[in-house]
Amino acid sequence: MAGVGEGAIVDRLRRYGITKMDKKRTVPLERLRNAPLHVRTQVEDVHRWLFVEGGHYEDIESLMTNYCHFVRDNLQIPLDRLYFGGVGLHPKLTSYLWKWELDSFEHREMPQEIFERRNELFSPDEPFCVLEQGRAEFIRIRSSDNYIPPDTEKWFRAGNYADYFALPDIHRGEFEGGLAWSTKHPKGFDDEYVQFFELTQPALSTVIRLHMNALVIKTLTERMEREIEERTSQLATANRELEKASEEISRNAAKQLEHFACMSHEIRTPLNCIVGFSSLMLEKSDQMTAENEESIRMIHENGNLLKCVVDDVLDYAKLESGCFMVNVQPCELHPTISSVVTSIAQKAKKRNVTVRTDYSAELSGIMETDNRRLQQVLFNLLGNAEKFSKDGGVIDFSVSLVGYDEWRYEIERNEQMLCYGEKFDNKEKLRVISFSVKDYGKGIDKKDFETVFEPFSQASKETQSIYGGTGLGLSITSKLVKKLGGFISLDSEPGKFTEFCVYFPFRGGAVDVAGLSKEFTDTTVVLVAKHLGIPISGSNENDSVSISFEVARTYGLDMLRCLDWDDLDAKLSESVSLRSYVAIIADSSDVDYSKYTKAESKIGSSRCALFTCGNTNHTEMYGGFHLGFMSASFPVTVLQRIWSQMLLKKDNTKPRLKLQDSESPSSVVEKKERLLTRKDFQRLQILYADDNGINCKLLHKMISNLGVTNIDLVNDGTKAVEYAECTSYDVIFLDMEMRVMGGIEACQRITEFDPAANIVFVTAHVSEKYFKLAKDAGAKDYITKPFDLKMIRNVLKKSIYRDCMDTSMPLATKQIETSRKATSFSRAQSMPLGLALLSSELKPLASDLKVLYADDNMINQKVLRKVLQRLGVENVDLVDNGQKAVEKANENRYDIIFMDLQMPVMDGLEASKHILEEDPAAVIIVVTAHALHNFIETAAFTGCSDFISKPVNLKKIQSVLEPYTIFDAS
């Protein structure tokens, strides 16, 4: 019938009883009311059966089968076939077909392709096609009809059916399927049967649709579960593959790191000879010709340059592999910065480049960071600025401490700048410390901003060819800044300037501005200098005598500025207004002491004090106090030095400044260092509770070395509480985890009966959680293992000077490691761990030391021996493997043992273990070309006292020997 017109189809439909074409067919209640009584009774019986029993069947097959039998048996209707076709959810998804016959039941799902191609696959005259298209309200086919649609005719004639009646299933005005009743009875369906089908079809369709919806939901659920299982399986497989890939990457990164470490080791070994011998030869430069001195200096400088390249490559490899550790702890900011600035300034002087410094007036002395890594960042940035500055140019270096709101404004204002690293959220609204390095050299084009932070690349080929370098400096710097929790920004204009800014959230207190200002209310500060300009760091000629207007305004200083001593004399003659006390500051090279004496006589010697700054210190000869380089000092440091000396001019009253939480206690201790003797420590009463005997022995040795004799040791918290009840201790050291009773509980019990108890936790835990537990329990301080003599000494100093110190608890040291957390010793503080300290006897002279050095490289032996001889150490035994070192240590008592790690017969670690088993107090210092953290960590766990890396030089050896000996003044 395909291709037949609409009019022909209508004529044909009329021939088999179809006269209406209303898609939205309804069954009016009037038809039910007008039906014969027995038909209405049958309809009610079927409705009752459908809604009472029909909903309880498990599936549509059971429902349709029981419905057909109910109609045949109870109502005596000759029903031989019932067909239902329903659309599930949407015609383009799936439809369901159910067919009941006396001896069979069939269920099929029709895929969506059937619906899409139904006009191709079926005749448009097929009953359900007509109903779906809304061309009729019902379909009636009899065996006597002249025309039966071809697909229907096949099964209709084959099954000897006599009558067929079909109705559409209309739901919410949309075609959802259809129902068809068929009979083989020769007389077919009479009008009452057809009327019955019409009146019961809505209820039957509704119940079937409910079952169908449940089936659809079940099918979709099962399908979804299968898809979820498949997807989960795929994801699990993908995750396993990712894990394998990650493991492979980690292995490759570890191998790469090991490769770089081996390369570093192999390069450092000959470097040790080059740098070591050249440094020794330069010590006798006065005995060389100028040409030889220049040659040796070039060898030494290029050896150090090669060492820097090796360090850069190794640092980059560690950062990339995730094996890089930063050690964040409260540190003194001023020495961290000044050493870098001074070093770069001295280097820049060769090209007449000056470094101008500008430090915020409220910049305090303590900051939580890894000071060694911060130095590395600043050294790279200042080093680049020096390299790219023009001869005779200027580098501006500023350190600012700004509030949260000001910082937000600055960031928003500089959005156009390139920022590398994630901008910290600063949800705590902490103040922000910024380090700015600005040079006025060639500049960087904006298109090269991203390039300069990439490894092994520079802004341009011209830059690389002219200035050289590995191209790793800024890449390492940016990664270090990110590791330290900050971000770095870049702004530049070619031919004018380049500025790098580094931002960190500042954890630490501010200076007590109000307290320090109060101390200067009775003091006038007089500046005598020809140049009162911007401070220039590292200048040997003139260190600008400068206290900025910002500093003067912040601290409310009464300032008098004079161009020279004659200008000061003239102003004094004019009876210039001065406060009760006068601090005169002048450059040491410009001081005229006869004119100072004249000014002092006019002011009054009891009211006046002289302060000098610059490179030369003549105060011992003429009196006064030398401030050093003012440009290299924080303003607050300069003012505190002036204040501490002005106290001597006042009437025996020495008011004390209240330290803020972040201010270094060492700043006060430093002022009174000369008053601290072994007797001060001897009067202390100490209690230490730890269930580890080695820790007890270690702390006992450290404290004894400081002069403390009253030390009680216990091995659990219960005993610590008992001892504290009977004795008033100056300091109680508690381990956190002990048998019987832990440190936290012991601390709580002690503070219950003695709230003022000075309890200090000594523990291997380094997370903030444990710090908070300790603070909440009532502890005054918290130090982490491994501890050193400096840590213990500072704790005891706090006890001695408790009356002038803020005893609020500092933040615990945090060990942050990207791949693991481990206890290890660090060179960050250039201080040995003290794991094997000397006993409490006085330190021996260097000339009395007996030293053993084990190294299989003869050149290394000669270098170290000559360095030791230069320091006055003559008694040095040399061996070339670990086995001989053990034998020598068993035969002799050595003050210091230097140990290489890689040696034949027995390596250094194994030898150290054997030596320490026989003599736990042995001082073993590892000297090796290995620079990887895991080698340092392994040496620490073995019990070695310290670690220095090759190439060695006189400064390194002197630094590591200082805690154990006294050097001759010469």
Side-chain angles (χ1 to χ4, degrees):
M1 298 293 294
V4 178
E6 181 70 22
I9 293 174
V10 172
D11 291 341
R12 194 163 292 164
L13 291 175
R14 283 173 178 167
R15 286 200 296 270
Y16 61 94
I18 301 176
T19 58
K20 296 183 179 180
M21 302 177 67
D22 182 10
K23 184 175 180 180
K24 297 183 179 181
R25 174 182 175 276
T26 60
V27 181
L29 292 176
E30 292 297 324
R31 296 178 63 182
L32 180 59
R33 295 191 188 100
N34 295 331
L37 179 61
H38 69 278
V39 173
R40 281 186 287 165
T41 302
Q42 289 177 333
V43 171
E44 290 175 0
D45 289 343
V46 168
H47 282 177
R48 188 181 301 109
W49 182 88
L50 284 172
F51 291 111
V52 174
E53 296 186 24
H56 296 294
Y57 291 107
E58 293 182 358
D59 50 36
I60 294 179
E61 178 180 353
S62 301
L63 171 67
M64 290 179 62
T65 300
N66 283 279
Y67 165 81
C68 293
H69 285 298
F70 181 83
V71 170
R72 284 175 60 87
D73 299 340
N74 292 4
L75 306 181
Q76 303 301 311
I77 297 176
L79 180 62
D80 297 308
R81 184 180 189 269
L82 177 64
Y83 183 86
F84 177 81
V87 178
L89 299 182
H90 192 277
K92 290 189 176 182
L93 294 177
T94 305
S95 70
Y96 299 91
L97 306 176
W98 289 275
K99 183 183 68 175
W100 172 88
E101 293 181 321
L102 275 174
D103 55 355
S104 66
F105 189 91
E106 183 180 350
H107 166 224
R108 283 189 296 141
E109 290 185 19
M110 185 180 291
Q112 64 183 37
E113 296 85 31
I114 300 298
F115 284 92
E116 293 171 356
R117 300 175 55 205
R118 60 182 177 273
N119 291 328
E120 301 174 20
L121 300 174
F122 303 106
S123 166
D125 294 343
E126 291 300 325
F128 275 32
C129 288
V130 174
L131 296 175
E132 190 269 335
Q133 293 170 14
R135 289 182 282 147
E137 286 188 342
F138 65 91
I139 301 292
R140 184 80 179 271
I141 299 174
R142 298 180 178 86
S143 57
S144 58
D145 289 346
N146 294 327
Y147 174 76
I148 300 176
D151 289 323
T152 303
E153 187 177 19
K154 292 177 184 178
W155 63 265
F156 192 80
R157 301 293 186 192
N160 295 317
Y161 285 98
D163 202 348
Y164 172 92
F165 180 71
L167 292 171
D169 178 17
I170 304 297
H171 181 63
R172 296 178 180 174
E174 297 294 332
F175 176 81
E176 297 289 344
L179 269 169
W181 296 263
S182 302
T183 182
K184 296 180 180 181
H185 195 282
K187 293 183 179 180
F189 296 127
D190 58 28
D191 292 341
E192 292 180 352
Y193 294 159
V194 170
Q195 191 176 25
F196 168 80
F197 294 145
E198 283 186 306
L199 295 174
T200 59
Q201 180 266 340
L204 179 59
S205 295
T206 298
V207 176
I208 292 176
R209 196 183 303 116
L210 289 174
H211 281 277
M212 188 176 68
N213 289 343
L215 177 62
V216 169
I217 292 172
K218 180 182 178 183
T219 303
L220 291 177
T221 302
E222 290 175 350
R223 184 183 300 169
M224 188 180 298
E225 287 176 350
R226 285 195 303 271
E227 291 178 356
I228 290 173
E229 287 178 1
E230 291 174 3
R231 185 61 178 161
T232 302
S233 176
Q234 292 172 359
L235 287 174
T237 303
N239 285 336
R240 285 194 295 270
E241 292 174 355
L242 283 174
E243 286 177 4
K244 289 180 181 178
S246 178
E247 290 173 0
E248 184 66 23
I249 291 171
S250 297
R251 283 195 296 270
N252 290 337
K255 287 180 182 178
Q256 184 184 37
L257 183 58
E258 190 65 30
H259 168 74
F260 281 121
C262 291
M263 180 190 73
S264 170
H265 182 276
E266 294 304 314
I267 295 175
R268 283 169 184 269
T269 300
L271 262 182
N272 187 50
C273 173
I274 296 169
V275 176
F277 271 113
S278 60
S279 64
L280 288 173
M281 293 175 72
L282 286 173
E283 292 290 322
K284 297 181 179 180
S285 58
D286 56 337
Q287 301 175 17
M288 300 181 192
T289 63
E291 183 179 355
N292 286 342
E293 181 185 356
E294 182 182 2
S295 299
I296 297 299
R297 195 172 298 281
M298 288 175 64
I299 292 171
H300 184 70
E301 289 176 356
N302 281 278
N304 282 322
L305 178 61
L306 180 57
K307 176 181 174 294
C308 291
V309 172
V310 172
D311 289 341
D312 280 351
V313 172
L314 193 58
D315 274 348
Y316 181 77
K318 286 191 281 189
L319 283 163
E320 284 294 293
S321 65
C323 299
F324 193 87
M325 184 179 111
V326 293
N327 178 25
V328 177
Q329 60 184 3
C331 66
E332 294 188 29
L333 191 58
H334 180 258
T336 298
I337 295 174
S338 63
S339 60
V340 176
V341 174
T342 302
S343 175
I344 296 296
Q346 292 295 333
K347 181 181 178 183
K349 275 175 56 183
K350 298 175 183 177
R351 296 174 48 232
N352 199 27
V353 175
T354 56
V355 180
R356 298 189 301 199
T357 58
D358 181 21
Y359 299 131
S360 172
E362 297 183 28
L363 201 61
S364 64
I366 298 295
M367 175 182 173
E368 271 193 66
T369 188
D370 184 328
N371 63 337
R372 178 170 171 258
R373 297 305 178 186
L374 178 59
Q375 283 182 326
Q376 190 174 351
V377 167
L378 297 179
F379 194 88
N380 282 343
L381 294 179
L382 282 167
N384 273 358
E386 184 275 328
K387 183 165 69 173
F388 293 109
S389 290
K390 300 173 184 177
D391 289 354
V394 172
I395 301 169
D396 282 326
F397 175 64
S398 64
V399 185
S400 303
L401 190 61
V402 298
Y404 173 79
D405 293 333
E406 184 180 349
W407 172 73
R408 288 302 311 168
Y409 169 77
E410 188 69 18
I411 293 300
E412 291 168 4
R413 188 174 67 87
N414 293 325
E415 278 297 329
Q416 74 275 11
M417 299 189 308
L418 172 72
C419 292
Y420 188 94
E422 297 176 3
K423 296 180 184 178
F424 42 85
D425 293 333
N426 205 354
K427 293 178 181 178
E428 303 172 65
K429 294 191 176 181
L430 297 170
R431 287 173 304 160
V432 174
I433 187 169
S434 68
F435 301 87
S436 171
V437 178
K438 188 174 185 178
D439 70 79
Y440 302 89
K442 68 188 297 289
I444 302 172
D445 198 297
K446 288 193 183 298
K447 66 181 178 62
D448 297 320
F449 275 15
E450 293 281 359
T451 307
V452 297
F453 289 110
E454 294 176 1
F456 304 105
S457 64
Q458 296 189 7
S460 63
K461 290 184 178 180
E462 179 191 2
T463 301
Q464 191 169 2
S465 61
I466 296 176
Y467 297 98
T470 62
L472 280 174
L474 285 176
S475 178
I476 292 172
T477 297
S478 59
K479 291 179 184 295
L480 281 174
V481 169
K482 190 174 180 181
K483 290 282 185 188
L484 292 171
F487 71 91
I488 183 171
S489 69
L490 165 61
D491 191 19
S492 182
E493 192 172 334
K496 292 186 177 181
F497 73 93
T498 300
E499 182 177 19
F500 288 92
C501 290
V502 179
Y503 301 91
F504 297 105
F506 186 80
R507 289 182 172 83
V511 176
D512 182 9
V513 175
L516 192 54
S517 299
K518 186 178 179 181
E519 300 298 335
F520 280 90
T521 54
D522 59 355
T523 303
T524 297
V525 178
V526 178
L527 301 183
V528 180
K530 297 176 183 177
H531 307 286
L532 299 173
I534 299 173
I536 299 176
S537 287
S539 173
N540 284 339
E541 288 80 24
N542 287 303
D543 180 54
S544 299
V545 181
S546 176
I547 294 180
S548 69
F549 290 105
E550 179 203 358
V551 174
R553 182 179 64 254
T554 301
Y555 293 96
L557 301 180
D558 179 42
M559 303 287 296
L560 177 63
R561 300 174 185 268
C562 303
L563 294 176
D564 51 31
W565 292 98
D566 292 333
D567 186 23
L568 172 61
D569 184 61
K571 289 179 178 178
L572 291 175
S573 300
E574 295 170 1
S575 301
V576 65
S577 176
L578 299 173
R579 293 180 178 175
S580 302
Y581 299 93
V582 178
I584 300 177
I585 306 175
D587 191 288
S588 57
S589 60
D590 294 333
V591 173
D592 186 328
Y593 286 95
S594 61
K595 293 183 178 180
Y596 165 70
T597 304
K598 183 178 179 182
E600 184 183 41
S601 63
K602 289 185 177 182
I603 298 170
S605 59
S606 61
R607 300 172 53 211
C608 181
L610 173 65
F611 298 86
T612 61
C613 62
N615 190 47
T616 309
N617 181 7
H618 297 305
T619 55
E620 291 182 4
M621 184 181 302
Y622 300 104
F625 184 79
H626 191 62
L627 296 172
F629 286 104
M630 289 182 68
S631 59
S633 302
F634 290 175
V636 66
T637 305
V638 173
L639 295 180
Q640 284 177 338
R641 289 175 180 170
I642 294 172
W643 163 76
S644 63
Q645 291 302 309
M646 290 306 295
L647 289 179
L648 301 175
K649 293 290 181 179
K650 301 181 181 181
D651 297 332
N652 296 326
T653 303
K654 299 182 180 181
R656 297 177 177 126
L657 283 177
K658 181 182 178 182
L659 297 179
Q660 299 302 306
D661 290 350
S662 69
E663 189 174 353
S664 172
S666 61
S667 62
V668 174
V669 175
E670 210 172 312
K671 298 175 187 126
K672 298 194 175 186
E673 187 75 31
R674 64 187 183 279
L675 302 177
L676 197 62
T677 66
R678 290 178 69 86
K679 289 183 179 180
D680 294 301
F681 288 102
Q682 285 173 357
R683 68 174 179 79
L684 294 177
Q685 188 86 7
I686 307 295
L687 173 64
Y688 181 34
D690 195 322
D691 57 350
N692 186 301
I694 296 175
N695 289 337
C696 286
K697 182 178 179 181
L698 170 60
L699 191 69
H700 188 279
K701 282 189 174 184
M702 286 185 175
I703 297 174
S704 298
N705 196 44
L706 294 171
V708 180
T709 56
N710 301 317
I711 309 168
D712 291 331
L713 303 175
V714 295
N715 60 7
D716 66 68
T718 304
K719 293 179 181 177
V721 175
E722 293 173 356
Y723 274 60
E725 286 177 338
C726 302
T727 307
S728 178
Y729 291 100
D730 296 284
V731 182
I732 300 175
F733 292 102
L734 290 179
D735 184 31
M736 194 161 279
E737 294 182 0
M738 296 181 287
R739 297 186 299 270
V740 186
M741 181 188 292
I744 294 294
E745 185 180 352
C747 180
Q748 291 170 340
R749 294 198 181 186
I750 293 172
T751 52
E752 282 177 5
F753 60 79
D754 184 8
N758 186 16
I759 298 175
V760 179
F761 273 96
V762 184
T763 177
H765 291 297
V766 294
S767 70
E768 288 289 337
K769 178 180 75 172
Y770 291 99
F771 161 68
K772 188 176 184 303
L773 284 173
K775 185 176 181 181
D776 292 344
K780 296 293 191 297
D781 214 334
Y782 183 104
I783 58 177
T784 57
K785 299 174 184 175
F787 48 81
D788 57 31
L789 187 60
K790 185 178 180 181
M791 292 181 184
I792 302 302
R793 190 177 188 183
N794 283 339
V795 170
L796 298 185
K797 280 181 177 180
K798 285 184 185 182
S799 180
I800 295 172
Y801 293 120
R802 192 183 302 175
D803 58 336
C804 63
M805 291 188 184
D806 181 1
T807 56
S808 62
M809 192 173 187
L811 285 175
T813 299
K814 290 180 284 185
Q815 299 288 341
I816 304 174
E817 188 173 2
T818 54
S819 64
R820 65 190 183 279
K821 290 187 178 180
T823 303
S824 60
F825 60 76
S826 168
R827 296 294 299 160
Q829 301 297 328
S830 299
M831 171 65 84
L833 277 182
L835 293 178
L837 291 174
L838 297 176
S839 61
S840 59
E841 292 86 11
L842 291 175
K843 297 176 184 177
L845 291 171
S847 57
D848 295 331
L849 284 180
K850 190 170 185 179
V851 175
L852 172 65
Y853 181 33
D855 195 318
D856 58 330
N857 188 301
M858 297 301 107
I859 296 176
N860 289 341
Q861 289 184 0
K862 291 179 181 179
V863 170
L864 189 69
R865 173 175 248 169
K866 284 189 174 292
V867 170
L868 289 171
Q869 287 174 347
R870 187 63 55 83
L871 293 171
V873 181
E874 295 290 345
N875 194 353
V876 182
D877 290 339
L878 303 173
V879 293
D880 59 6
N881 64 60
Q883 181 63 47
K884 292 181 181 178
V886 174
E887 293 171 358
K888 278 282 189 181
N890 290 337
E891 294 170 2
N892 303 279
R893 174 79 178 185
Y894 291 100
D895 297 291
I896 307 286
I897 300 174
F898 291 98
M899 186 76 70
D900 185 31
L901 285 184
Q902 290 187 339
M903 294 182 289
V905 186
M906 181 185 292
D907 63 37
L909 289 177
E910 188 67 25
S912 298
K913 290 178 184 176
H914 287 296
I915 293 171
L916 289 168
E917 284 175 2
E918 294 296 323
D919 182 10
V923 178
I924 300 177
I925 298 171
V926 175
V927 185
T928 180
H930 282 296
L932 279 183
H933 181 79
N934 59 319
F935 286 100
I936 304 173
E937 181 182 297
T938 305
F941 281 129
T942 302
C944 298
S945 300
D946 212 338
F947 175 98
I948 55 175
S949 60
K950 298 175 183 176
V952 300
N953 55 38
L954 189 142
K955 281 187 178 180
K956 282 186 180 180
I957 300 300
Q958 183 173 359
S959 173
V960 83
L961 289 181
E962 276 179 346
Y964 307 102
T965 188
I966 298 173
F967 296 104
D968 189 277
S970 62

